Amino acid sequence: TEPSLNPKNEDVFLTEPSLNPKTNREKSAEILFEKFCINSMAMKSTSILGLFYSGRTNGLLIESGEGVTHSIPIYEGYSLPHSIFRSDFGGRDITEYLIKLLAKKKHKFYTTADRQIVKNMKEKICYISPNDNHHNENNEKYVYQLPDGNNIELDYERYQAPEIMFQPKLMENKEKQSILGLDELINKSIMTTDIDLRRTMWGNLVLCGGNTMFKGLKNRLN
């Protein structure tokens, strides 16, 4: 479809993911200039913009979305590519794990609509435990009302599902057994930066992305 706005002589600002290949940037510029005849363009990493939004130019950005999590050290407004690491887990994995936990209580969610219900449940009532020792965790039951009016009870599932952010092995997925948990990812990124930068990185952890919105995540990292 044709764009409603005539792009000719417009200025365009694009965002790009971390470690975006140079060829991708060149292709974007080629299309915008040669096909749409724009006047000028600029491109900036979403991670750097996220750090700027927090009012910082130095720090470690932890970016976790639907499918992947990155740990990105940034110094003086520039990312440090040799210290950027990723783990292939995100909000989708937490939703899938919550479905498995609920299945153990005979609550079955199969369809796409069912998964959206569980996703909403995850976003509303799940939280991050203060530590990985759950023996002292308050297992108070929470009654959640489904769209059809029925109720289900949740207790340990509320903190067990997002715990895979720190312990991916809980997913019991062979493909994800070797990936780094969030704490390991952060530590690896910081320890591969210059020794003079590490204190700055540890003191400026910035969370970004929908999967970092869980209550308790900030305290767990502290």
Side-chain angles (χ1 to χ4, degrees):
T1 59
E2 292 293 328
S4 57
L5 176 69
N6 184 359
K8 187 172 289 188
N9 299 323
E10 292 288 340
D11 301 311
V12 177
F13 183 83
L14 296 178
T15 59
E16 61 176 343
S18 300
L19 303 179
N20 188 32
K22 182 181 178 181
T23 53
N24 288 1
R25 293 197 295 273
E26 291 174 344
K27 188 64 177 178
S28 297
E30 177 186 332
I31 293 172
L32 287 171
F33 281 112
E34 296 186 6
K35 182 176 180 180
F36 294 103
C37 302
I38 65 169
N39 182 54
S40 66
M41 69 167 286
M43 188 176 290
K44 201 71 174 176
S45 167
T46 53
S47 57
I48 294 175
L49 293 174
L51 190 71
F52 285 174
Y53 183 76
S54 72
R56 299 172 174 85
T57 56
N58 302 319
L60 182 78
L61 189 90
I62 300 101
E63 188 175 23
S64 185
E66 182 72 2
V68 68
T69 298
H70 284 96
S71 183
I72 307 154
I74 299 169
Y75 182 68
E76 295 299 333
Y78 293 92
S79 60
L80 307 177
H82 64 283
S83 296
I84 297 176
F85 294 97
R86 65 175 279 169
S87 277
D88 292 321
F89 70 82
R92 185 186 306 115
D93 297 294
I94 297 175
T95 301
E96 291 295 329
Y97 187 49
L98 181 55
I99 289 173
K100 288 183 179 180
L101 294 175
L102 292 173
K104 293 179 180 180
K105 289 188 170 182
K106 310 301 182 183
H107 300 299
K108 306 293 185 179
F109 296 89
Y110 297 112
T111 68
T112 301
D114 287 342
R115 291 176 186 275
Q116 185 61 42
I117 292 171
V118 178
K119 182 176 182 290
N120 293 339
M121 189 186 307
K122 172 195 72 175
E123 294 172 353
K124 290 179 179 178
I125 66 173
C126 285
Y127 65 94
I128 301 291
S129 173
N131 53 64
D132 58 4
N133 182 4
H134 303 309
H135 296 298
N136 298 323
E137 194 70 36
N138 182 6
N139 284 336
E140 181 181 352
K141 294 187 183 299
Y142 185 98
V143 178
Y144 185 87
Q145 187 176 56
L146 299 173
D148 62 5
N150 289 321
N151 294 328
I152 62 173
E153 285 188 348
L154 295 92
D155 39 63
Y156 71 90
E157 298 91 355
R158 296 176 62 200
Y159 60 81
Q160 186 70 19
E163 182 63 25
I164 65 171
M165 294 177 67
F166 295 89
Q167 301 186 64
K169 63 182 180 181
L170 292 175
M171 289 185 281
E172 299 179 350
N173 184 332
K174 291 182 179 180
E175 296 180 357
K176 296 183 181 287
Q177 290 301 297
S178 61
I179 66 176
L180 298 175
L182 192 57
D183 50 345
E184 298 171 312
L185 193 69
I186 292 170
N187 186 67
K188 187 173 183 179
S189 274
I190 292 178
M191 296 311 291
T192 54
T193 62
D194 189 281
I195 192 170
D196 296 330
L197 301 180
R198 293 174 189 172
R199 181 182 294 272
T200 299
M201 296 298 155
W202 281 118
N204 292 277
L205 298 181
V206 177
L207 301 175
C208 178
N211 203 40
T212 65
M213 300 296 289
F214 286 107
K215 180 182 178 181
L217 178 57
K218 181 179 178 181
N219 291 335
R220 176 71 171 266
L221 291 176
N222 286 338

